[in-house]
Amino acid sequence: MKQVIVILSLFLYGSINAQTQNEIEIKNTIETFFEGFHKQDSLIMKPLMHKSLILQTVGKDRGVVVELSTTKGSDFLKSIVSIPKESTFQEKILSYNIQIDGNMANVWTNYEFWFNSKFSHCGVNSFQLIKQNNTWQIFYLVDTRRRENCKQ
Protein backbone atom coordinates (compact mmCIF):
# COMPACT_ATOMS: atom_id res chain seq x y z
CA MET A 1 0.00 0.00 0.00
CA LYS A 2 2.86 2.38 0.83
CA GLN A 3 4.32 1.81 -2.64
CA VAL A 4 1.01 2.74 -4.29
CA ILE A 5 0.82 5.96 -2.25
CA VAL A 6 4.44 6.86 -3.10
CA ILE A 7 3.88 6.19 -6.82
CA LEU A 8 0.62 8.19 -6.85
CA SER A 9 2.31 11.05 -4.98
CA LEU A 10 5.18 11.16 -7.48
CA PHE A 11 2.75 11.09 -10.40
CA LEU A 12 0.62 13.84 -8.88
CA TYR A 13 3.68 15.97 -8.08
CA GLY A 14 4.94 15.54 -11.63
CA SER A 15 1.58 16.64 -13.06
CA ILE A 16 1.39 19.68 -10.80
CA ASN A 17 5.00 20.60 -11.54
CA ALA A 18 4.47 20.35 -15.33
CA GLN A 19 1.40 22.57 -15.11
CA THR A 20 3.29 25.11 -13.04
CA GLN A 21 6.18 25.13 -15.52
CA ASN A 22 3.75 25.78 -18.41
CA GLU A 23 2.13 28.61 -16.46
CA ILE A 24 5.55 30.17 -15.85
CA GLU A 25 6.46 29.85 -19.54
CA ILE A 26 3.13 31.34 -20.64
CA LYS A 27 3.37 34.26 -18.23
CA ASN A 28 6.97 34.88 -19.38
CA THR A 29 5.77 34.89 -23.00
CA ILE A 30 3.20 37.58 -22.25
CA GLU A 31 5.56 39.64 -20.09
CA THR A 32 8.24 39.53 -22.79
CA PHE A 33 5.61 40.48 -25.40
CA PHE A 34 4.78 43.59 -23.35
CA GLU A 35 8.47 44.34 -22.80
CA GLY A 36 8.87 44.51 -26.59
CA PHE A 37 5.61 46.45 -26.86
CA HIS A 38 6.78 49.13 -24.42
CA LYS A 39 10.22 49.32 -26.05
CA GLN A 40 8.58 49.40 -29.51
CA ASP A 41 10.90 46.55 -30.42
CA SER A 42 9.47 44.22 -33.04
CA LEU A 43 12.50 41.91 -32.72
CA ILE A 44 11.43 41.07 -29.16
CA MET A 45 7.76 40.68 -30.04
CA LYS A 46 7.85 38.80 -33.35
CA PRO A 47 9.18 35.44 -32.05
CA LEU A 48 6.31 35.39 -29.52
CA MET A 49 3.68 35.93 -32.22
CA HIS A 50 2.41 33.06 -34.36
CA LYS A 51 2.67 33.84 -38.08
CA SER A 52 -1.14 33.94 -38.36
CA LEU A 53 -1.74 36.16 -35.31
CA ILE A 54 -4.99 38.12 -35.38
CA LEU A 55 -5.71 40.96 -32.94
CA GLN A 56 -9.19 42.25 -32.26
CA THR A 57 -10.67 44.96 -30.08
CA VAL A 58 -14.17 45.23 -28.69
CA GLY A 59 -14.98 48.86 -28.07
CA LYS A 60 -17.51 51.60 -28.58
CA ASP A 61 -17.43 54.11 -31.39
CA ARG A 62 -17.64 57.48 -29.63
CA GLY A 63 -18.94 55.64 -26.60
CA VAL A 64 -22.19 54.53 -28.25
CA VAL A 65 -22.06 51.74 -30.84
CA VAL A 66 -20.22 48.51 -29.93
CA GLU A 67 -17.69 47.64 -32.62
CA LEU A 68 -15.20 44.89 -33.35
CA SER A 69 -12.00 45.94 -35.09
CA THR A 70 -9.46 43.48 -36.52
CA THR A 71 -5.72 43.86 -37.16
CA LYS A 72 -3.19 41.45 -38.64
CA GLY A 73 -0.09 40.76 -36.56
CA SER A 74 2.23 42.35 -39.13
CA ASP A 75 0.15 45.55 -39.20
CA PHE A 76 0.14 45.63 -35.40
CA LEU A 77 3.95 45.49 -35.32
CA LYS A 78 4.18 48.30 -37.86
CA SER A 79 1.82 50.47 -35.80
CA ILE A 80 3.78 49.91 -32.59
CA VAL A 81 7.18 50.76 -34.04
CA SER A 82 5.74 53.87 -35.74
CA ILE A 83 4.57 55.51 -32.49
CA PRO A 84 6.63 58.69 -32.05
CA LYS A 85 9.51 58.14 -29.61
CA GLU A 86 8.54 61.23 -27.60
CA SER A 87 5.23 59.54 -26.71
CA THR A 88 5.19 57.27 -23.70
CA PHE A 89 2.74 54.46 -23.12
CA GLN A 90 2.37 51.65 -20.65
CA GLU A 91 -0.09 48.79 -20.41
CA LYS A 92 -0.14 47.74 -16.76
CA ILE A 93 -1.20 44.12 -16.35
CA LEU A 94 -3.17 43.82 -13.11
CA SER A 95 -3.82 40.08 -12.98
CA TYR A 96 -3.40 36.78 -14.82
CA ASN A 97 -5.86 33.91 -15.16
CA ILE A 98 -4.15 31.09 -17.05
CA GLN A 99 -5.97 28.01 -18.35
CA ILE A 100 -4.13 25.24 -20.18
CA ASP A 101 -5.24 22.18 -22.11
CA GLY A 102 -2.29 20.37 -23.66
CA ASN A 103 -0.71 22.64 -26.25
CA MET A 104 -3.31 25.39 -26.04
CA ALA A 105 -3.67 28.07 -23.40
CA ASN A 106 -5.98 30.96 -22.66
CA VAL A 107 -4.81 33.89 -20.57
CA TRP A 108 -7.19 36.54 -19.29
CA THR A 109 -5.48 39.70 -18.06
CA ASN A 110 -7.03 42.81 -16.57
CA TYR A 111 -5.11 45.95 -17.53
CA GLU A 112 -4.86 49.72 -17.37
CA PHE A 113 -3.43 51.73 -20.26
CA TRP A 114 -1.50 54.94 -19.66
CA PHE A 115 -0.47 57.34 -22.43
CA ASN A 116 1.99 60.18 -21.76
CA SER A 117 1.63 59.41 -18.02
CA LYS A 118 -2.14 59.97 -18.12
CA PHE A 119 -4.76 57.28 -17.66
CA SER A 120 -6.34 56.41 -21.02
CA HIS A 121 -8.52 53.33 -20.53
CA CYS A 122 -8.83 49.92 -18.94
CA GLY A 123 -10.13 46.53 -19.99
CA VAL A 124 -9.15 42.91 -20.39
CA ASN A 125 -6.94 41.02 -22.81
CA SER A 126 -7.76 37.48 -23.83
CA PHE A 127 -4.68 35.74 -25.22
CA GLN A 128 -4.84 32.41 -27.03
CA LEU A 129 -1.51 30.62 -27.19
CA ILE A 130 -0.21 27.48 -28.88
CA LYS A 131 2.82 25.46 -27.84
CA GLN A 132 4.86 24.27 -30.81
CA ASN A 133 8.44 23.02 -30.66
CA ASN A 134 8.43 23.63 -26.86
CA THR A 135 7.65 27.33 -27.38
CA TRP A 136 4.46 29.20 -26.50
CA GLN A 137 3.27 31.68 -29.14
CA ILE A 138 0.31 34.04 -29.21
CA PHE A 139 -2.01 33.22 -32.11
CA TYR A 140 -5.03 35.32 -31.13
CA LEU A 141 -5.52 38.38 -28.94
CA VAL A 142 -8.74 40.21 -28.26
CA ASP A 143 -9.13 43.09 -25.84
CA THR A 144 -11.79 45.37 -24.49
CA ARG A 145 -11.35 49.09 -23.96
CA ARG A 146 -13.41 51.25 -21.70
CA ARG A 147 -13.11 54.34 -19.51
CA GLU A 148 -15.83 53.52 -17.01
CA ASN A 149 -15.57 51.09 -14.09
CA CYS A 150 -11.77 51.29 -14.01
CA LYS A 151 -9.95 51.02 -10.70
CA GLN A 152 -6.92 53.23 -11.51
Side-chain angles (χ1 to χ4, degrees):
M1 183 67 171
K2 279 186 175 181
Q3 290 175 333
V4 171
I5 292 173
V6 170
I7 291 170
L8 285 174
S9 296
L10 289 173
F11 179 74
L12 181 61
Y13 175 75
S15 296
I16 291 170
N17 192 32
Q19 181 80 359
T20 302
Q21 184 60 37
N22 275 327
E23 288 177 356
I24 291 167
E25 291 171 6
I26 290 165
K27 189 172 180 183
N28 285 341
T29 297
I30 292 171
E31 288 176 347
T32 304
F33 176 82
F34 278 110
E35 176 188 338
F37 177 74
H38 294 130
K39 290 180 177 180
Q40 297 176 261
D41 190 336
S42 62
L43 296 177
I44 294 173
M45 298 172 71
K46 194 169 183 176
L48 308 170
M49 299 166 52
H50 191 272
K51 63 184 176 192
S52 62
L53 173 66
I54 298 292
L55 298 99
Q56 293 188 302
T57 297
V58 176
K60 291 184 180 178
D61 178 28
R62 298 186 183 146
V64 180
V65 179
V66 175
E67 293 186 331
L68 178 67
S69 62
T70 303
T71 305
K72 293 188 295 187
S74 58
D75 292 337
F76 171 72
L77 284 177
K78 289 175 192 171
S79 71
I80 296 304
V81 299
S82 68
I83 296 171
K85 297 296 182 197
E86 60 273 5
S87 297
T88 61
F89 58 95
Q90 181 182 18
E91 186 157 333
K92 296 180 183 178
I93 302 299
L94 306 175
S95 64
Y96 285 85
N97 181 350
I98 301 172
Q99 297 179 326
I100 304 166
D101 184 29
N103 292 314
M104 185 183 82
N106 171 271
V107 183
W108 183 275
T109 63
N110 293 293
Y111 75 89
E112 294 176 345
F113 192 85
W114 295 76
F115 189 76
N116 291 331
S117 302
K118 293 182 182 172
F119 177 77
S120 173
H121 61 273
C122 69
V124 297
N125 297 311
S126 177
F127 293 88
Q128 303 296 315
L129 296 95
I130 183 171
K131 188 173 190 178
Q132 292 179 313
N133 301 318
N134 292 317
T135 303
W136 287 100
Q137 287 187 311
I138 303 163
F139 69 88
Y140 180 70
L141 171 57
V142 61
D143 66 45
T144 61
R145 298 177 189 179
R146 64 182 188 281
R147 292 175 193 242
E148 67 280 349
N149 300 319
C150 298
K151 294 181 181 179
Q152 36 121 13

